Amino acid sequence: MALISAWPLVFPILFFLGCFSSSTASSEGGVFPFDIEGSSAVSAQEATDIRGQQQSAATGSWVPFAEGCQEGFYRTNSGECSPCSCNGNANRCLDVSGICVDCQRNTTGQHCEQCPDGFIGDVVRGPPTFCHPCPCPLPVVANFAVSCNRKSGSVRCVCKENYAGPNCERCAPGYYGNPLLIGSTCKKCDCSSNSDPNLIFEDCDEVTGQCRNCLRNTTGFKCERCAPGYYGDARFAKNCTECNCGGKMCDSQTGECLADSPEVSTGTDCPTISCDKCIWDLTDDIRLAVLAIDESKSTFLSISTGVAAHKRLNDLNLTATHLQVAMSKKKNHSILWTIQVDDVAAEMNDLLTDAEVLDEQGNKASSKGLLVQKETIATNNHATQLVQQLSNMRDNIQEISSKMKYYAIQQELSPEEIAHKLTVAEEMLKEIKHCKPFTNQRQLADEEENAAEELLQQVEEFHERYNDTRSLVSDVLEQLSEHNMKLSDLEEALDQALDYVMQTEDINKENTANLQEREKQHEKIKEQANEVNSILLSATAILAGPQKINSELSKIIKNASGFYAEIDGAKKELQEKLANLSLFDDDLVEKAMHHAHNLRRLADELDRNLYGVDTNGLVQRAINASNVYKNIASYIEEANKAALLALNTTNRVNDAEAGIDTQVIYHKGKSEKLLSQAMELQKAADASNDLTIADASQHINGTLARTKALRSQLMRAITKMQSAEPVDARQRLEQAKLKTAEAVSATMTITQATTPMDENVRMWSENLQDFKHSSSAYDRAVHSAGDAVKKLTEVFPQLLDKLRRVEQKAPANNISASIQRIRELIAQTRSVASKVQVSMTFGGQSAVEVNPKINLEELKSFTSMSLYIKLQKDNPQLAASPDRFVLYLGNKNAKNYIGLAIKNDNLVYAYNLGGQDVEIPLDSKPVSTWPSYFSIIKTERIGRHGKMFLTVPSLSSTAEEKFIKKGEVLGPGSLLNLEPENTVFYVGGVPPDFKLPPSLNLPGFIGCLELATLNDDVISLYNFKHIYNMNTTTSPPCARNKLAFTQSRAVSYFFDGSGYAVARNIERRGRFSQVTRFDIEVQTPTDNGLILLMFNGSMFFSLEMHNGFLYLRYDFGFSTGPVLLEDSMKKAQINDAKFHEISIIYHNSKKMILVVDRRHIKSMDNERTAMPFTDIYIGGAPTEILQSSISSHLAGSVGFKGCMKGFQFQKKDFNLLEEPGTLGISYGCPEDSLMSRKAYFNGESFIASSQKVSFFGEFEGGFNFRTLQPNGLLFYYSEGSDVLSISMDRGAVVLNASGIKVQSSDRNYNDGKNHFIITSVTPERYELTVDDKKESKKKPAKDKAGKSPDSVKKFYFGGSPLSMQQANFTGCISNAYFTRLDREVEVEDFQRYSEKVQTSFYGCPVESPPIALLHKKGKNSSKAKGNRNKKVGRDKDKISQASTGLRKLYQEMNMHRDPQCHLPMNPKATEHAYQFGGTANSRQEFDHIPKDFSERAQFSISLKTHSSHGMIFYVSDQKETNFMALFVAHGRLIFMFNAGHQKIRIKSQEKYNDGLWHNVIFIRGKNMGRLIIDGLRVLEESFSASANTWQVTEPLYIGGVSPGKAVKNIQINSVYSFSGCLSNLQLNGRSITSASQTFSVTPCFEGPSETGTYFSSEGGYVVLDESFSLGMKFEVIFEIRPRSSSGILMHGHSVNGEYLNMHMKNGQVTVKLNNGIRDFSTSVTLKQSLCDGRWHRIAVIRDANVVQLDVDSEVNHVVGPLNPKAIDHREPVFIGGVPESLLTSSLTTRNSFIGCIRNFMIDEKPVSFSKAALVSGAVSINTCPAA
């Protein structure tokens, strides 16, 4: 203990000893000879003495060798003493060399001219006089630098390993410690190798060393033990395994389950205990502290108290004694030095006094010198000015002289006049010389000079105008001559028109004659029609014969079939007999028969003779032998009979055949006769009127074609019959029967076709009889034509003048684009104004009308407002009248409003929902007790329930006082019905002409107000419509104190989705280096949003939130294109309304690392490339950037909505609101903006929560909903067998409570508008209120007692997994509330619900219903088109158009909606507009090119696009030498064509890729090209007319070109297809509508869209080249949303006849296959409709002969025949349709699919339709209309 107590005395002594050890060590032999770094061994006075000696000593003096040189000198080779060159840092140096010895002041080097490592000199240049330790970071006690140097006025350190920073003030990555703390060093992180292996170093806290992100289920300070719930060895074996103890704890080493795991009984309200990370960290710290205490304890216990310790204490005591003696001597020296210093100080004071006197004298002299210098400079300047004035005068004289000569010449003055003028001028000069003071004259001269200059300027302007006018003379003359030429052309045109009139008269006369002749022909046609009718009647009679013959043939065939059966039965026996008989000839048979008869006769005789005599059987044997011959004879006789029968049958068949041939020949003749008659009728018809007989020709041609077909069929039948063998009679008969049936069918077809022909002929006859020729009508037409020509002659010059003036005007900007830009600027200005968080001061007479930017529909059911308020209590007006008005939001009629006022010393919240006023006074906190600074007020209203909050903060702490008061409307109203045109929002007061409701009719507010939020939106007083009696520039706002509760809001920023922040030149705060890092914290409930964006040309970096997860995409110019890094494993969900820290690390310019909440999410390696950016956008970006070339790489262009804070680049903070360029963001983070009061359900989603609610007792609840679907489950709750549900049923709202249904009277609630439901359950009734329309039913007696409210209940919104009878809801539900048992009524925050399935909590993509639009369109389209038979003088085109219109109307009526489908067959689209894009070669091809195209080509087209590049129009010849094109490049329109070998290029200055419609006209004439845009921009280019003809060939391309086209003439980016819509295409004034071929072109859809491929009702398909094998194994999965109940989904076909076909037929999905053996199929029919407007999943799996079909988990399969010769060959696959030639006759549908397909996968690999081999027809790739 003695040793311990002595140490505090020793350390101060050692420190003081170091101060003088250098001076006493040599003499006293100090006990502790040490030196502290930085101390000097030579005092300043000694250094001065050394320098003096070196300077005073003779440099070349010679000293005897024995004596040696004195100190500070050294002996040279010559023996002389030279001074040491040690820069004052040493007083000794070696002889001969002069090298300095014992350098002092921390210097080194041969001449003490350098600082050693770890030190830095006191001067920038030259040798140092003193070297200090490097301040890296502290000079002496903590210097961790290898070396240091000065640069640009600051010290730069070269740190040792393990240290980093400009001054080595922090540890390098992978090390920890605090170098700024004395005694601390940086040590390597030790995480037991359990940190992230993707990092190049172990990740630990840079100060404490605690490991971050322990992996492999480990925890602890160094990740040295297994995490709770795991056991094993975390340091070496690394085998931490999950405990198998049923959720209880286990031993961390052995895994043995612990019996004393903390458990909580389920019957209590206490939550289950779960130790979080903080508790485990605290446990680690306690354990480390215990270890440190143990080490200290062992150290103290190890201290020895023996003899050695006593000896050391004695030594210390002795040392202290010596120190005391030395200190006393030093004290004496210091006293002496003090006296000497006092003397020197006195002398120094005298010297300072003398110096002050001399300084004062010098100042006086200096001031006098400055005065003299100033006067000299002034004189010099004056002389310079005089010289300049003289020079100016000389120049003026010369200019006057030259102008005098000029005007003399211009005014044609004579020499006498010039001389006279000079004389007058000389006299004037003499007068000027005689006048001494020139002040008055100078003034007059100045005035005259000014007047002369003005006159001169006017003359010069007049002269300039005169010159301009003269230059325009030639142009005017040229235009006049051009006008004369045009007039002459007009005169020629009039002459030509006169000729045309004369020709018209002649033609009319000819027409009159022709008309009479045609009337005669019509009579003939009528007679011939009668003949045709008689022929048709005879043909009908004639056809009765074939029908009779057909019946007879049927009987013959039946008999022949019987005969053939008999023949087949006898055939075998006949063949056997013929085989036996073939061995004998006919003679032998006859002899055998004759011999048999003889034998028969002899046998009979023998039988009679031998009867009864046979004793040994010989007689019987003889009889048997004779019987054999008898049998042979009988067999031969039977064979003859059978042969005869066969012969007769054959003859009968031949007779029947001959009869058939006769009938066929007869009908052939009749048909030929009918054909000849039809041909004669056709010839007669050709001579008649073309228009009158057009339809008849069509019918006759059809008849002719059918007759020819019938004749060919008959000829083929005859040929086959004639060539048939008799043995094929049965087959011939069957074919004859078929042909006869076909002949009957063809005859009936002819009859049906000729019947309308006869009716048309009769109608034409009647029309021609009614038609009367009138010559007066022709005269009137001629006179009207003459009048029109005369008027044209008068108007034509005026039109030419107007056209010339328009063309001469400077091109104006696009008006629509300018208006759109102005609207955008206004919206941005209002958005910025809404975020001005500054108060306004109100004096009692002032008022502000605020512009609420919120949709008033959102305020109907729920209204929330917050504001800051501060009273001006010292105002005498407020003391006299304390009741004051605060604000009013409502209708002008004082009904339906909300407001605030101060009444009776209470803040009052008042509102009216169309009935009685409700007042809620906050009486718990009188206004007189409010503090003198800002307080926060918040009001809420949900339905008829209102609530008001007052928050009074504290200036000194975070404590807050909160006061709440609630109330409700007693009447039936629950909606705040605000009318947009009558809604006002007044704050602080109202204008004089406005009448407030009685509850708010009070004097204006006195004090300061600041608005904060209205529902979810930030709102500000500075976004006002009008202000009254207020000057915002002179009335200063009240300063809002930085209260404790606002600190957390001040560091964060709120983004509302429309604004963004931008940090320009981010390298001003940090540099892109080997490790580049971005950090930001975000908090949002939304699904999508842009977080960070950088771009540079085509290179970009974007961090987005997509469906709640991070989506990082970047391209720094990589050769492989953009890189995608996303949270595909769904590790970190961002949109949970909590703050998440996001870090992006770009390591070594190669590896991108994404970290969320200090947790590694994903990393990606790419090419080594540095980031090429300077600016970064946060939370959004300007529209022109989001719609630029990088738009295709973004997941979306939605701005971020939520809160952000802590944005850092390279760990450097940025204040986003102070960055120039930031737009539309604000400080703070409103709590309301982070709530999720709205949810969108897609038909497969739902949310659920468990709360204490008594649904069957006293209960009230309500919510908003919006949908287009007629059916769906809105709310569901079940308690045992009792169910409470709210649903949609065919457009009506139904409340089902325990089997009792209450239904709304209206059935139109699926109209896409907001509707509010209130459901209440009382002991007596069940009530349902929809939009304040109430329906109710009496509650049964058994239910009046209610249910037990004690337990927590689970309920569902949007659907339920428990309810199978009703489909889930599709649409939006918002602003829901309940009367709960455990808390007050408040709006539900869906984000807090425990169960959320496929639900979006931001946005509601429900649009207006398309039904009304379709109904309107159908109504318009059903108007009468006119009777085309009234006049026969119309041309064919009009008739064709009328019939086309009728057909189109019929198609529209039939194509609007499939009765089995929810969605219309054709989505809402712009009429006659087509959408291109999706594939690189999306296009339409037109084959018709006019003959005069080479002379003049004028096109007009309407377009809209967001694309910056793309082809719009292209046509060329075969070699593409001659071409013409219109395309988009960098957003500008370019019209390009060739003129010989020259390429003419006309380019617009403005960009037109703004998504708006633009009308474009482009013309190629003989010697000029012109581009006209929106009728305002006229661009023209002329060229010399070439002798070469300009010819192009078909096709004409619209929207894109075929692969390989246009590359020769157009840049590659613009060769690809145009992405946008085109309409109204016209060529030389005529519309072009019918494309010969279409590739990936659909109607231009309106309304919302989503990802998918759309197959239009116009037909089309996608071809996937060689996608999979039809013969072996494959798996196909995709999703569909059909708009028609039937259609082909997929088809594959091989050359050997195998095929696979998947199609829908009336909602049933069928897969049909042929594997080379036979067809087999399987089908699935869903319980619900497949065409219900939702997505459905289809999967087909084939394994050899087994095929399985899965539709929404409904599964069916089939086992077909096994083909042993199946070959695995890959075939093309058709999606959505197939060419007719590839379909088999056995398929039940041949229609193309109509609807959307997405997520198409083959063998688990995604298929991209944009890379398909072919997209044919009306197919839209990657865009699918959602409604």
Side-chain angles (χ1 to χ4, degrees), residues 469-480:
T469 304
R470 291 189 63 183
S471 64
L472 293 174
V473 169
S474 59
D475 295 338
V476 173
L477 292 175
E478 184 179 354
Q479 292 180 2
L480 288 175

Side-chain angles (χ1 to χ4, degrees), residues 1744-1764:
N1745 61 328
V1746 179
V1747 178
Q1748 177 178 300
L1749 175 62
D1750 181 345
V1751 182
D1752 288 345
S1753 301
E1754 291 284 340
V1755 182
N1756 203 352
H1757 74 278
V1758 63
V1759 179
L1762 187 62
N1763 186 359

Side-chain angles (χ1 to χ4, degrees), residues 1323-1341:
E1324 303 296 331
R1325 306 188 69 82
Y1326 294 116
E1327 295 181 352
L1328 173 67
T1329 304
V1330 184
D1331 293 343
D1332 289 343
K1333 295 181 180 180
K1334 183 183 290 186
E1335 303 287 341
S1336 66
K1337 282 191 178 181
K1338 190 175 182 181
K1339 195 174 182 181

Side-chain angles (χ1 to χ4, degrees), residues 1493 1511 1513-1527 1534-1545 1564 1590-1593 1605-1606 1608-1610:
F1493 188 81
M1511 181 69 69
F1513 170 88
Y1514 187 81
V1515 66
S1516 69
D1517 57 10
Q1518 293 291 341
K1519 297 183 180 179
E1520 297 192 67
T1521 304
N1522 296 326
F1523 74 96
M1524 184 166 68
L1526 177 70
F1527 57 91
I1534 298 178
F1535 176 37
M1536 180 183 273
F1537 57 89
N1538 76 295
H1541 296 290
Q1542 179 185 5
K1543 289 185 179 180
I1544 307 301
R1545 180 186 177 97
R1564 185 198 188 280
W1590 188 81
Q1591 296 290 339
V1592 294
T1593 59
K1605 262 300 193 189
K1608 178 180 178 181
N1609 298 312
I1610 311 296

